Amino acid sequence: MTNEELQQLIMKISENVFNKPFVHDAYFNARLITTGGRYMLQTHHIQINPKSLECYGMEELEGIIRHELCHYHLHIEGKGYKHRDRDFRELLKMTNSPRFCANLESTKKKRRRIQHVYGCISCGQLYRRKIRINTTKYRCGKCSGQLSKLEL
């Protein structure tokens, strides 16, 4: 789906569900990591995470659009547009919009494994590192002994 198609979809949903026009810009933003969409207060633009469409399909995308349009229309009208406001929660219920989007796979933290283990030849102190170090340049912090890479 292109940005132009997204713009048309949002304009159509705004007219059909809210009976109000959407007159600002809407586009995909791949830099959104933890959220499905974002409404910009200053510019009134709506940004959508393209991964939400890829991972969960058109139904999830339309839910995110309805949610962001709730922010949009309430903010334009000068009503409570924040998640905690009563106006916002009531409009979510009236338009059958989701309060939260589905968790994106990219939000799950990937645990980095320790790849390199070094040991002091003199005292046996162990050092776990993510990045390889030069054993001729560095010494043991405990006894100043020579370090050697240990195989796992």
Side-chain angles (χ1 to χ4, degrees):
M1 176 178 274
T2 64
N3 284 334
E4 292 80 24
E5 292 171 335
L6 177 68
Q7 178 78 30
Q8 294 301 317
L9 178 64
I10 289 179
M11 291 169 70
K12 181 180 136 192
I13 291 173
S14 181
E15 284 291 334
N16 293 343
V17 176
F18 295 89
N19 297 320
K20 297 173 188 171
F22 176 74
V23 294
H24 292 86
D25 292 334
Y27 50 90
F28 286 110
N29 183 354
R31 289 174 289 153
L32 296 177
I33 297 174
T34 60
T35 184
R38 176 167 62 186
Y39 167 64
M40 306 300 289
L41 292 173
Q42 290 79 19
T43 60
H44 305 293
H45 298 329
I46 292 179
Q47 299 176 357
I48 302 293
N49 189 341
K51 288 185 180 177
S52 59
L53 176 61
E54 293 170 15
C55 296
Y56 298 106
M58 200 64 175
E59 187 176 328
E60 179 70 18
L61 177 68
E62 290 178 4
I64 292 169
I65 291 170
R66 285 195 313 270
H67 178 98
E68 298 307 326
L69 283 172
C70 288
H71 288 296
Y72 172 80
H73 289 299
L74 290 171
H75 184 248
I76 297 287
E77 294 169 4
K79 296 180 180 176
Y81 60 89
K82 297 179 182 175
H83 287 111
R84 65 176 177 261
D85 293 331
R86 177 178 285 143
D87 293 331
F88 181 75
R89 283 194 243 135
E90 288 174 357
L91 188 58
L92 283 178
K93 286 180 185 173
M94 284 175 40
T95 60
N96 196 24
S97 302
R99 183 126 187 241
F100 305 103
C101 69
N103 281 341
L104 295 171
E105 294 166 1
S106 63
T107 61
K108 295 177 183 174
K109 291 189 177 180
K110 295 177 183 173
R111 186 171 174 233
R112 288 187 66 184
R113 291 185 11 229
I114 297 172
Q115 297 175 348
H116 306 283
V117 179
Y118 298 91
C120 175
I121 294 174
S122 301
C123 69
Q125 176 72 31
L126 293 179
Y127 297 94
R128 291 168 169 56
R129 297 289 178 264
K130 295 177 184 173
I131 299 172
R132 193 176 64 209
I133 63 170
N134 184 355
T135 57
T136 59
K137 186 176 178 183
Y138 294 98
R139 307 289 283 196
C140 176
K142 189 173 177 183
C143 71
S144 297
Q146 187 178 358
L147 298 176
S148 67
K149 182 163 172 64
L150 303 176
E151 297 300 323
L152 298 176

